[in-house]
Amino acid sequence: KRREVQEAKDRKPQPPSRGKATVICGCFGTKCKPLTNCLHCGRIACRKEGYGYCPSCTYLIQDMAQQLSNFAAPGTPMEKAILHKERLLEFDRECTKRTIVLDDQADYFKNSSSTWLSGDERQQAAEQDDTRRKDLHDRKKHVMNLDILG
């Protein structure tokens, strides 16, 4: 296994070939779906342009699987970097699931939706909220007599 790792380190990727792009869309992935980007100049290639030569720097834009087969052997730093990248992208996708806002006001005031209350305390708070709402809405009508003449 050490020999394979050493051979992978010693094996250098072939220099990328250069050529002329056949299709130039120019949307940079805004109109068409983005496909990948050029590893030399960073230009974003869309699905319409496809894999081929970069219109900006004329280097070859390859599929990710082809790029990895050129210089990523198992156990190399490149493979670790790719796994780390995938892990970070997964965290980015799940960001909204991980983000929880805890309201300090809900901690101070006892309301039935507070996460800090136990089940009995929540039930008591819900009952207090109900009685408070009933008192506000069921106000008794006040009758006032104004005697202007006498």
Side-chain angles (χ1 to χ4, degrees):
K1 184 162 184 159
R2 287 184 183 173
R3 178 185 288 168
E4 292 175 9
V5 172
Q6 187 61 35
E7 287 175 4
K9 286 181 182 178
D10 292 340
R11 183 176 15 135
K12 294 181 180 175
Q14 296 176 350
S17 60
R18 297 181 89 165
K20 189 174 180 181
T22 55
V23 178
I24 300 173
C25 178
C27 74
F28 301 105
T30 56
K31 293 180 182 175
C32 312
K33 279 192 161 187
L35 184 63
T36 187
N37 65 323
C38 178
L39 295 179
H40 296 278
C41 68
R43 184 181 188 281
I44 299 172
C46 66
R47 297 230 183 233
K48 188 175 182 182
E49 292 174 342
Y51 297 109
Y53 294 102
C54 178
S56 295
C57 66
T58 67
Y59 280 101
L60 183 64
I61 299 175
Q62 294 178 330
D63 183 21
M64 190 65 163
Q66 290 174 345
Q67 291 174 5
L68 294 178
S69 67
N70 287 344
F71 53 90
T76 60
M78 180 59 138
E79 184 189 28
K80 290 178 185 177
I82 292 168
L83 291 175
H84 184 66
K85 176 197 75 158
E86 293 298 326
R87 192 172 128 244
L88 291 176
L89 288 173
E90 186 70 27
F91 282 148
D92 187 46
R93 278 185 234 116
E94 294 178 354
C95 179
T96 55
K97 296 177 189 173
R98 295 172 184 259
T99 305
I100 299 172
V101 177
L102 299 176
D103 188 10
D104 288 338
Q105 189 173 7
D107 182 32
Y108 182 73
F109 298 107
K110 286 186 177 179
N111 61 3
S112 58
S113 63
S114 175
T115 57
W116 306 105
L117 298 178
S118 67
D120 295 333
E121 291 173 334
R122 264 194 210 115
Q123 188 176 6
Q124 273 184 335
E127 291 171 3
Q128 287 176 354
D129 286 343
D130 289 341
T131 56
R132 197 175 309 126
R133 275 195 208 102
K134 285 179 185 176
D135 290 343
L136 286 174
H137 293 294
D138 295 339
R139 289 187 179 170
K140 296 177 182 171
K141 293 182 181 181
H142 296 285
V143 177
M144 188 181 319
N145 289 330
L146 295 176
D147 189 12
I148 298 176
L149 297 174

